Amino acid sequence: MATNSTSHSDRDRLYAERRAEVESFVFDERVAAVFGDMISRSVPGYATIIAMTGILARRHARPGSRIYDLGCSLGAASAVMAEALEPGACRIVAVDNAPAMIGRAQEELAARGLADRVELVCADIREVEVEAASVVVLNFTLQFLPRSERLELLQRIRRGMLPGGVLVLSEKIAGATPEEERLLVALHEDFKRANGYSELEISQKRAALERVLVPETLETHRRRLLDAGFDRADPWFQCFNFVSLVAHP
Ligand code: GEK
């Protein structure tokens, strides 16, 4: 079902064998090696969100400004933005704190002939200075920060953005009611089954992500974006419990 035309990823079988103890999820070399396959078989709408990031970048990127891809993993969003924009129009900075991801991102970008179009930085996004930004992408990264640190990051991003810019925030969300939560989780698990994940893989991955990936409701995200100083925050995409918003400074 899911397509994965751009990444050179191996098939994700990380949770296929029963583990005596399921440890908390970390972005190590084993994850990086299968990440392209993992994210496209696990996140409904991922390919659409990545492709549309190019459209959004083309609309909002300002010549001479910076573009940030925070928590870039293999650099999928950066690659699409680089392809959407004139070479040299903007400085594209892609940040991730997992050395394994940065290493693989380098290979992916080189394979697409984009190595000199994207600046890869191995750092914590809480420590990276955001300045003169016309486009900032936070694709499925905020959800990995402690909740208490999310507002401050968004405030810092907001302060570093130029008028007319856009923040693209994509997240796994929690349902607003227990009924909605049950429905969204059931549909997401159906999506994973349809993409070949077994019940064991689904349950061991769920255990590994518990307390590591902490989803919040769509309303919590919207309110926090406004609290951080953004003028507007509108969802432009949702598939089951995966949402992407655009926020404007
Ligand atoms: C994509 N955006 O393909 N600082 C820097 N990086 C971090 C931090 C942090 N504090 N915390 C987590 N990461 C990508 C997908 S994956 C989403 C993003 C997922 C990084 C982490 O190393 C990982 O590469 C990424 O954020 C999250 O569009 O795996 O569900």
Side-chain angles (χ1 to χ4, degrees), residues 25 27 35 38-39 43 46 50 69-77 95-98 101 123-126 138-141 143-145 213:
F25 193 83
F27 291 97
F35 189 75
M38 172 188 284
I39 197 153
V43 175
Y46 176 73
I50 292 297
D69 179 6
L70 302 177
C72 64
S73 296
L74 304 182
V95 182
D96 204 288
N97 66 351
M101 285 295 188
D124 194 303
I125 56 172
R126 289 164 292 188
L138 261 179
N139 262 350
F140 309 110
T141 306
Q143 60 196 18
F144 290 104
L145 291 194
L213 189 173

mmCIF file of all heavy atoms in Angstrom, residues 25 27 35 38-39 43 46 50 69-77 95-98 101 123-126 138-141 143-145 213, ligand 1:
data_model
loop_
_atom_site.group_PDB
_atom_site.id
_atom_site.type_symbol
_atom_site.label_atom_id
_atom_site.label_comp_id
_atom_site.label_asym_id
_atom_site.label_seq_id
_atom_site.Cartn_x
_atom_site.Cartn_y
_atom_site.Cartn_z
ATOM 1 N N PHE A 25 12.081 3.281 22.564
ATOM 2 C CA PHE A 25 12.507 3.536 21.187
ATOM 3 C C PHE A 25 13.630 4.576 21.136
ATOM 4 O O PHE A 25 13.542 5.619 21.773
ATOM 5 C CB PHE A 25 11.295 4.042 20.406
ATOM 6 C CG PHE A 25 11.492 4.063 18.928
ATOM 7 C CD1 PHE A 25 11.296 2.910 18.175
ATOM 8 C CD2 PHE A 25 11.868 5.218 18.279
ATOM 9 C CE1 PHE A 25 11.466 2.919 16.800
ATOM 10 C CE2 PHE A 25 12.053 5.242 16.900
ATOM 11 C CZ PHE A 25 11.846 4.092 16.164
ATOM 12 N N PHE A 27 16.531 6.473 18.206
ATOM 13 C CA PHE A 27 16.857 6.639 16.786
ATOM 14 C C PHE A 27 18.324 6.251 16.567
ATOM 15 O O PHE A 27 19.184 7.112 16.402
ATOM 16 C CB PHE A 27 16.566 8.073 16.350
ATOM 17 C CG PHE A 27 15.101 8.381 16.334
ATOM 18 C CD1 PHE A 27 14.498 9.022 17.405
ATOM 19 C CD2 PHE A 27 14.309 7.993 15.260
ATOM 20 C CE1 PHE A 27 13.138 9.296 17.397
ATOM 21 C CE2 PHE A 27 12.948 8.259 15.245
ATOM 22 C CZ PHE A 27 12.362 8.911 16.313
ATOM 23 N N PHE A 35 14.470 3.297 8.207
ATOM 24 C CA PHE A 35 13.542 4.382 8.537
ATOM 25 C C PHE A 35 12.580 4.749 7.406
ATOM 26 O O PHE A 35 11.390 4.985 7.644
ATOM 27 C CB PHE A 35 14.317 5.631 8.986
ATOM 28 C CG PHE A 35 13.411 6.686 9.533
ATOM 29 C CD1 PHE A 35 12.860 6.558 10.797
ATOM 30 C CD2 PHE A 35 13.050 7.785 8.760
ATOM 31 C CE1 PHE A 35 11.986 7.517 11.294
ATOM 32 C CE2 PHE A 35 12.180 8.747 9.256
ATOM 33 C CZ PHE A 35 11.642 8.606 10.526
ATOM 34 N N MET A 38 9.959 2.204 7.399
ATOM 35 C CA MET A 38 9.185 2.273 8.649
ATOM 36 C C MET A 38 8.183 3.419 8.615
ATOM 37 O O MET A 38 7.004 3.243 8.911
ATOM 38 C CB MET A 38 10.152 2.460 9.831
ATOM 39 C CG MET A 38 9.478 2.742 11.154
ATOM 40 S SD MET A 38 10.679 3.168 12.444
ATOM 41 C CE MET A 38 11.368 1.580 12.828
ATOM 42 N N ILE A 39 8.636 4.599 8.232
ATOM 43 C CA ILE A 39 7.737 5.757 8.331
ATOM 44 C C ILE A 39 6.657 5.701 7.257
ATOM 45 O O ILE A 39 5.503 6.036 7.515
ATOM 46 C CB ILE A 39 8.510 7.106 8.348
ATOM 47 C CG1 ILE A 39 7.592 8.219 8.869
ATOM 48 C CG2 ILE A 39 9.134 7.450 7.014
ATOM 49 C CD1 ILE A 39 8.273 9.383 9.526
ATOM 50 N N VAL A 43 3.029 5.773 9.000
ATOM 51 C CA VAL A 43 2.380 7.092 9.094
ATOM 52 C C VAL A 43 1.478 7.290 7.873
ATOM 53 O O VAL A 43 1.955 7.551 6.764
ATOM 54 C CB VAL A 43 3.434 8.224 9.177
ATOM 55 C CG1 VAL A 43 2.765 9.589 9.148
ATOM 56 C CG2 VAL A 43 4.270 8.075 10.445
ATOM 57 N N TYR A 46 1.999 10.052 4.944
ATOM 58 C CA TYR A 46 3.366 10.580 5.011
ATOM 59 C C TYR A 46 3.838 11.104 3.639
ATOM 60 O O TYR A 46 4.352 12.217 3.537
ATOM 61 C CB TYR A 46 4.325 9.505 5.534
ATOM 62 C CG TYR A 46 5.771 9.949 5.541
ATOM 63 C CD1 TYR A 46 6.230 10.859 6.479
ATOM 64 C CD2 TYR A 46 6.670 9.463 4.586
ATOM 65 C CE1 TYR A 46 7.554 11.285 6.479
ATOM 66 C CE2 TYR A 46 7.999 9.880 4.577
ATOM 67 C CZ TYR A 46 8.433 10.783 5.523
ATOM 68 O OH TYR A 46 9.743 11.205 5.514
ATOM 69 N N ILE A 50 4.929 15.002 2.782
ATOM 70 C CA ILE A 50 6.257 15.362 2.261
ATOM 71 C C ILE A 50 6.119 16.090 0.917
ATOM 72 O O ILE A 50 6.697 17.152 0.709
ATOM 73 C CB ILE A 50 7.146 14.094 2.122
ATOM 74 C CG1 ILE A 50 7.493 13.531 3.513
ATOM 75 C CG2 ILE A 50 8.416 14.399 1.322
ATOM 76 C CD1 ILE A 50 8.319 14.448 4.391
ATOM 77 N N ASP A 69 14.497 22.437 8.594
ATOM 78 C CA ASP A 69 13.800 21.149 8.685
ATOM 79 C C ASP A 69 14.270 20.548 10.012
ATOM 80 O O ASP A 69 15.376 20.007 10.106
ATOM 81 C CB ASP A 69 14.206 20.288 7.478
ATOM 82 C CG ASP A 69 13.558 18.918 7.478
ATOM 83 O OD1 ASP A 69 12.708 18.640 8.342
ATOM 84 O OD2 ASP A 69 13.918 18.117 6.576
ATOM 85 N N LEU A 70 13.433 20.687 11.050
ATOM 86 C CA LEU A 70 13.863 20.350 12.415
ATOM 87 C C LEU A 70 13.423 18.925 12.783
ATOM 88 O O LEU A 70 12.229 18.632 12.830
ATOM 89 C CB LEU A 70 13.290 21.371 13.399
ATOM 90 C CG LEU A 70 13.681 22.828 13.101
ATOM 91 C CD1 LEU A 70 13.011 23.790 14.087
ATOM 92 C CD2 LEU A 70 15.198 23.021 13.118
ATOM 93 N N GLY A 71 14.400 18.062 13.038
ATOM 94 C CA GLY A 71 14.120 16.634 13.223
ATOM 95 C C GLY A 71 13.971 16.030 11.837
ATOM 96 O O GLY A 71 12.963 15.432 11.486
ATOM 97 N N CYS A 72 15.028 16.200 11.032
ATOM 98 C CA CYS A 72 14.922 15.925 9.584
ATOM 99 C C CYS A 72 14.990 14.451 9.238
ATOM 100 O O CYS A 72 14.654 14.074 8.106
ATOM 101 C CB CYS A 72 16.020 16.681 8.845
ATOM 102 S SG CYS A 72 17.698 16.139 9.288
ATOM 103 N N SER A 73 15.435 13.596 10.159
ATOM 104 C CA SER A 73 15.640 12.162 9.864
ATOM 105 C C SER A 73 16.465 12.011 8.587
ATOM 106 O O SER A 73 17.584 12.486 8.527
ATOM 107 C CB SER A 73 14.313 11.411 9.766
ATOM 108 O OG SER A 73 13.654 11.432 11.002
ATOM 109 N N LEU A 74 15.894 11.411 7.532
ATOM 110 C CA LEU A 74 16.671 11.177 6.307
ATOM 111 C C LEU A 74 16.652 12.379 5.362
ATOM 112 O O LEU A 74 17.128 12.293 4.237
ATOM 113 C CB LEU A 74 16.147 9.934 5.578
ATOM 114 C CG LEU A 74 16.122 8.648 6.410
ATOM 115 C CD1 LEU A 74 15.637 7.470 5.559
ATOM 116 C CD2 LEU A 74 17.501 8.323 6.990
ATOM 117 N N GLY A 75 16.035 13.465 5.808
ATOM 118 C CA GLY A 75 16.039 14.687 4.993
ATOM 119 C C GLY A 75 14.988 14.716 3.899
ATOM 120 O O GLY A 75 15.108 15.482 2.934
ATOM 121 N N ALA A 76 13.917 13.924 4.070
ATOM 122 C CA ALA A 76 12.897 13.829 3.011
ATOM 123 C C ALA A 76 12.268 15.187 2.700
ATOM 124 O O ALA A 76 12.115 15.562 1.529
ATOM 125 C CB ALA A 76 11.823 12.820 3.421
ATOM 126 N N ALA A 77 11.913 15.940 3.748
ATOM 127 C CA ALA A 77 11.261 17.240 3.518
ATOM 128 C C ALA A 77 12.258 18.232 2.909
ATOM 129 O O ALA A 77 11.907 18.985 1.990
ATOM 130 C CB ALA A 77 10.688 17.783 4.828
ATOM 131 N N VAL A 95 18.204 19.644 10.550
ATOM 132 C CA VAL A 95 18.786 19.357 11.863
ATOM 133 C C VAL A 95 18.220 18.056 12.431
ATOM 134 O O VAL A 95 17.008 17.832 12.405
ATOM 135 C CB VAL A 95 18.449 20.504 12.849
ATOM 136 C CG1 VAL A 95 19.090 20.258 14.208
ATOM 137 C CG2 VAL A 95 18.870 21.857 12.290
ATOM 138 N N ASP A 96 19.106 17.235 12.978
ATOM 139 C CA ASP A 96 18.658 16.051 13.719
ATOM 140 C C ASP A 96 19.731 15.730 14.760
ATOM 141 O O ASP A 96 20.915 15.933 14.491
ATOM 142 C CB ASP A 96 18.462 14.847 12.785
ATOM 143 C CG ASP A 96 17.477 13.837 13.351
ATOM 144 O OD1 ASP A 96 17.847 13.136 14.342
ATOM 145 O OD2 ASP A 96 16.350 13.731 12.845
ATOM 146 N N ASN A 97 19.314 15.242 15.926
ATOM 147 C CA ASN A 97 20.329 14.953 16.942
ATOM 148 C C ASN A 97 20.778 13.493 16.945
ATOM 149 O O ASN A 97 21.564 13.101 17.796
ATOM 150 C CB ASN A 97 19.871 15.393 18.343
ATOM 151 C CG ASN A 97 18.684 14.609 18.853
ATOM 152 O OD1 ASN A 97 18.084 13.841 18.103
ATOM 153 N ND2 ASN A 97 18.337 14.804 20.119
ATOM 154 N N ALA A 98 20.283 12.705 15.991
ATOM 155 C CA ALA A 98 20.724 11.306 15.901
ATOM 156 C C ALA A 98 21.814 11.198 14.832
ATOM 157 O O ALA A 98 21.526 11.362 13.636
ATOM 158 C CB ALA A 98 19.546 10.412 15.554
ATOM 159 N N MET A 101 20.965 9.130 11.825
ATOM 160 C CA MET A 101 20.051 9.745 10.845
ATOM 161 C C MET A 101 20.814 10.712 9.944
ATOM 162 O O MET A 101 20.625 10.739 8.725
ATOM 163 C CB MET A 101 18.920 10.497 11.559
ATOM 164 C CG MET A 101 17.870 9.609 12.164
ATOM 165 S SD MET A 101 16.971 8.685 10.891
ATOM 166 C CE MET A 101 15.690 7.957 11.932
ATOM 167 N N ALA A 123 22.468 18.182 15.747
ATOM 168 C CA ALA A 123 22.302 18.977 16.969
ATOM 169 C C ALA A 123 20.896 18.795 17.507
ATOM 170 O O ALA A 123 20.000 18.315 16.799
ATOM 171 C CB ALA A 123 22.538 20.455 16.666
ATOM 172 N N ASP A 124 20.737 19.205 18.753
ATOM 173 C CA ASP A 124 19.410 19.192 19.368
ATOM 174 C C ASP A 124 18.639 20.418 18.870
ATOM 175 O O ASP A 124 19.182 21.528 18.896
ATOM 176 C CB ASP A 124 19.565 19.243 20.897
ATOM 177 C CG ASP A 124 18.269 18.889 21.600
ATOM 178 O OD1 ASP A 124 17.245 19.557 21.343
ATOM 179 O OD2 ASP A 124 18.281 17.942 22.393
ATOM 180 N N ILE A 125 17.412 20.220 18.440
ATOM 181 C CA ILE A 125 16.650 21.363 17.882
ATOM 182 C C ILE A 125 16.370 22.421 18.948
ATOM 183 O O ILE A 125 16.078 23.556 18.612
ATOM 184 C CB ILE A 125 15.322 20.920 17.216
ATOM 185 C CG1 ILE A 125 14.443 20.135 18.194
ATOM 186 C CG2 ILE A 125 15.601 20.111 15.971
ATOM 187 C CD1 ILE A 125 13.060 19.842 17.647
ATOM 188 N N ARG A 126 16.503 22.047 20.225
ATOM 189 C CA ARG A 126 16.301 23.036 21.282
ATOM 190 C C ARG A 126 17.486 23.971 21.407
ATOM 191 O O ARG A 126 17.440 24.967 22.104
ATOM 192 C CB ARG A 126 16.046 22.336 22.624
ATOM 193 C CG ARG A 126 14.680 21.673 22.680
ATOM 194 C CD ARG A 126 14.566 20.689 23.805
ATOM 195 N NE ARG A 126 15.431 19.521 23.591
ATOM 196 C CZ ARG A 126 15.428 18.428 24.346
ATOM 197 N NH1 ARG A 126 14.603 18.347 25.359
ATOM 198 N NH2 ARG A 126 16.226 17.423 24.084
ATOM 199 N N LEU A 138 8.481 21.138 11.045
ATOM 200 C CA LEU A 138 8.599 20.278 12.240
ATOM 201 C C LEU A 138 7.707 19.075 11.948
ATOM 202 O O LEU A 138 6.543 19.044 12.339
ATOM 203 C CB LEU A 138 8.045 21.008 13.456
ATOM 204 C CG LEU A 138 8.961 21.722 14.435
ATOM 205 C CD1 LEU A 138 8.134 22.388 15.525
ATOM 206 C CD2 LEU A 138 10.010 20.804 15.047
ATOM 207 N N ASN A 139 8.251 18.134 11.195
ATOM 208 C CA ASN A 139 7.448 16.980 10.786
ATOM 209 C C ASN A 139 7.631 15.832 11.763
ATOM 210 O O ASN A 139 8.652 15.141 11.738
ATOM 211 C CB ASN A 139 7.894 16.511 9.390
ATOM 212 C CG ASN A 139 7.010 17.044 8.287
ATOM 213 O OD1 ASN A 139 5.951 17.625 8.554
ATOM 214 N ND2 ASN A 139 7.427 16.842 7.048
ATOM 215 N N PHE A 140 6.652 15.617 12.633
ATOM 216 C CA PHE A 140 6.668 14.480 13.555
ATOM 217 C C PHE A 140 7.890 14.493 14.490
ATOM 218 O O PHE A 140 8.482 13.451 14.765
ATOM 219 C CB PHE A 140 6.591 13.158 12.769
ATOM 220 C CG PHE A 140 5.463 13.138 11.778
ATOM 221 C CD1 PHE A 140 5.696 13.181 10.405
ATOM 222 C CD2 PHE A 140 4.151 13.111 12.227
ATOM 223 C CE1 PHE A 140 4.646 13.213 9.496
ATOM 224 C CE2 PHE A 140 3.093 13.139 11.324
ATOM 225 C CZ PHE A 140 3.336 13.186 9.957
ATOM 226 N N THR A 141 8.235 15.680 14.959
ATOM 227 C CA THR A 141 9.391 15.821 15.848
ATOM 228 C C THR A 141 8.998 16.388 17.205
ATOM 229 O O THR A 141 9.504 15.938 18.236
ATOM 230 C CB THR A 141 10.456 16.750 15.202
ATOM 231 O OG1 THR A 141 10.779 16.251 13.913
ATOM 232 C CG2 THR A 141 11.722 16.797 16.028
ATOM 233 N N GLN A 143 6.525 15.901 18.910
ATOM 234 C CA GLN A 143 5.947 14.835 19.731
ATOM 235 C C GLN A 143 6.997 14.070 20.555
ATOM 236 O O GLN A 143 6.647 13.380 21.514
ATOM 237 C CB GLN A 143 5.180 13.846 18.829
ATOM 238 C CG GLN A 143 6.059 13.192 17.766
ATOM 239 C CD GLN A 143 5.261 12.532 16.638
ATOM 240 O OE1 GLN A 143 4.088 12.813 16.441
ATOM 241 N NE2 GLN A 143 5.902 11.620 15.908
ATOM 242 N N PHE A 144 8.266 14.204 20.191
ATOM 243 C CA PHE A 144 9.321 13.524 20.947
ATOM 244 C C PHE A 144 9.943 14.395 22.042
ATOM 245 O O PHE A 144 10.777 13.923 22.799
ATOM 246 C CB PHE A 144 10.427 13.019 20.004
ATOM 247 C CG PHE A 144 9.975 11.876 19.131
ATOM 248 C CD1 PHE A 144 9.669 12.069 17.789
ATOM 249 C CD2 PHE A 144 9.826 10.602 19.659
ATOM 250 C CE1 PHE A 144 9.229 11.028 16.989
ATOM 251 C CE2 PHE A 144 9.393 9.547 18.867
ATOM 252 C CZ PHE A 144 9.084 9.758 17.527
ATOM 253 N N LEU A 145 9.560 15.669 22.099
ATOM 254 C CA LEU A 145 10.085 16.540 23.162
ATOM 255 C C LEU A 145 9.199 16.419 24.398
ATOM 256 O O LEU A 145 7.986 16.219 24.274
ATOM 257 C CB LEU A 145 10.060 18.013 22.733
ATOM 258 C CG LEU A 145 11.002 18.499 21.644
ATOM 259 C CD1 LEU A 145 11.026 20.025 21.647
ATOM 260 C CD2 LEU A 145 12.403 17.962 21.809
ATOM 261 N N LEU A 213 7.050 8.949 22.587
ATOM 262 C CA LEU A 213 6.238 9.773 21.676
ATOM 263 C C LEU A 213 4.946 10.104 22.419
ATOM 264 O O LEU A 213 4.141 9.195 22.683
ATOM 265 C CB LEU A 213 5.949 8.975 20.399
ATOM 266 C CG LEU A 213 5.290 9.666 19.205
ATOM 267 C CD1 LEU A 213 5.258 8.748 17.998
ATOM 268 C CD2 LEU A 213 3.922 10.236 19.465
HETATM 269 C C1 GEK B 1 10.531 13.263 8.104
HETATM 270 N N1 GEK B 1 10.854 14.869 9.891
HETATM 271 O O1 GEK B 1 10.848 12.228 7.501
HETATM 272 N N2 GEK B 1 16.629 17.390 18.401
HETATM 273 C C2 GEK B 1 16.870 17.000 17.121
HETATM 274 N N3 GEK B 1 16.256 15.935 16.547
HETATM 275 C C3 GEK B 1 15.390 15.243 17.303
HETATM 276 C C4 GEK B 1 15.096 15.582 18.639
HETATM 277 C C5 GEK B 1 15.767 16.717 19.182
HETATM 278 N N4 GEK B 1 15.542 17.111 20.436
HETATM 279 N N5 GEK B 1 14.196 14.697 19.132
HETATM 280 C C6 GEK B 1 13.932 13.829 18.125
HETATM 281 N N6 GEK B 1 14.655 14.150 17.026
HETATM 282 C C7 GEK B 1 11.103 13.498 9.466
HETATM 283 C C8 GEK B 1 10.591 12.475 10.437
HETATM 284 S S1 GEK B 1 11.115 11.355 12.915
HETATM 285 C C9 GEK B 1 9.471 10.961 13.255
HETATM 286 C C10 GEK B 1 10.928 12.790 11.855
HETATM 287 C C11 GEK B 1 9.209 9.568 13.691
HETATM 288 C C12 GEK B 1 14.642 13.498 15.724
HETATM 289 C C13 GEK B 1 14.880 11.993 15.754
HETATM 290 O O2 GEK B 1 16.248 11.684 15.785
HETATM 291 C C14 GEK B 1 14.176 11.561 14.468
HETATM 292 O O3 GEK B 1 15.070 11.497 13.379
HETATM 293 C C15 GEK B 1 13.134 12.633 14.217
HETATM 294 O O4 GEK B 1 13.356 13.658 15.183
HETATM 295 C C16 GEK B 1 11.702 12.154 14.370
HETATM 296 O O5 GEK B 1 9.769 14.124 7.627
HETATM 297 O O6 GEK B 1 10.146 8.750 13.756
HETATM 298 O O7 GEK B 1 8.004 9.290 13.994
#
